[in-house]
Amino acid sequence: MNIEHTYEVTLCWNNDRKGIMTSSELTESIEVATPPQFPKGMPGIWSPEHLFTAAVSSCLMTTFLAIAENSKLEFSAFECNAAGKLEMIEGKYIMSEVTLMPTLTILKEQDRERATRVLQKSEAACLISNSIKSKIVFQPVVNIAIEAFES
């Protein structure tokens, strides 16, 4: 069975080292620019490097949400910090590594092992991670929600 989807993005140069990214499928645009670590880079604006890292992180989250739902895993919070590493290798800049640090808060201690399995399955099934050649470092944390008791 051949499944194929296309996601279209248009990027229009604005001025200096920045542009506006849009998609006919979406309502919001994103301003993008050269990161400040490069000549004429601009601080405070999303860069391709930020977007690359965000793509890996957001794919992990959406994959986790689907697998958790199918697994009937109850949780109260999911957050993922991610760090994309840009380095010069053999004379070329590459995004060589993305470290994903998801933190999952579950409701019951007895779900800890299953929660860890669901997180691991999510990382393995993430289509963006599977589509890039950068190393993906996965460092999950599972917490238990603490209920506030009123006296």
Side-chain angles (χ1 to χ4, degrees):
M1 180 171 161
N2 187 15
I3 297 175
E4 185 176 290
H5 303 284
T6 302
Y7 301 89
E8 296 183 10
V9 172
T10 300
L11 182 60
C12 295
W13 172 72
N14 193 358
N15 58 47
D16 299 322
R17 295 273 179 110
K18 66 181 173 183
I20 302 293
M21 188 179 319
T22 60
S23 174
S24 61
E25 304 165 325
L26 306 171
T27 56
E28 294 185 34
S29 61
I30 298 174
E31 186 175 43
V32 295
T34 302
Q37 296 82 6
F38 289 93
K40 298 185 181 179
M42 308 180 104
I45 301 175
W46 283 88
S47 69
E49 295 80 1
H50 287 105
L51 294 169
F52 182 92
T53 305
V56 176
S57 180
S58 60
C59 185
L60 174 68
M61 183 196 74
T62 57
T63 303
F64 166 77
L65 294 173
I67 293 174
E69 181 179 335
N70 288 339
S71 301
K72 298 186 179 12
L73 176 67
E74 292 183 20
F75 64 97
S76 61
F78 176 94
E79 181 177 308
C80 187
N81 291 319
K85 182 183 197 180
L86 176 73
E87 61 183 329
M88 178 77 74
I89 296 180
E90 297 177 4
K92 296 180 184 178
Y93 281 111
I94 67 164
M95 293 295 291
S96 62
E97 182 177 291
V98 176
T99 299
L100 297 171
M101 297 160 278
T103 299
L104 177 63
T105 302
I106 56 175
L107 305 174
K108 298 176 264 182
E109 174 62 38
Q110 61 263 33
D111 287 340
R112 182 182 294 275
E113 188 176 316
R114 188 160 58 106
T116 300
R117 280 196 316 271
V118 168
L119 282 167
Q120 290 168 341
K121 281 174 109 174
S122 301
E123 194 275 328
C126 175
L127 69 94
I128 299 295
S129 294
N130 291 331
S131 299
I132 60 176
K133 63 181 182 179
S134 302
K135 177 182 175 184
I136 303 298
V137 178
F138 189 61
Q139 300 173 336
V141 173
V142 177
N143 293 327
I144 304 298
I146 298 174
E147 293 184 28
F149 293 100
E150 294 184 27
S151 307

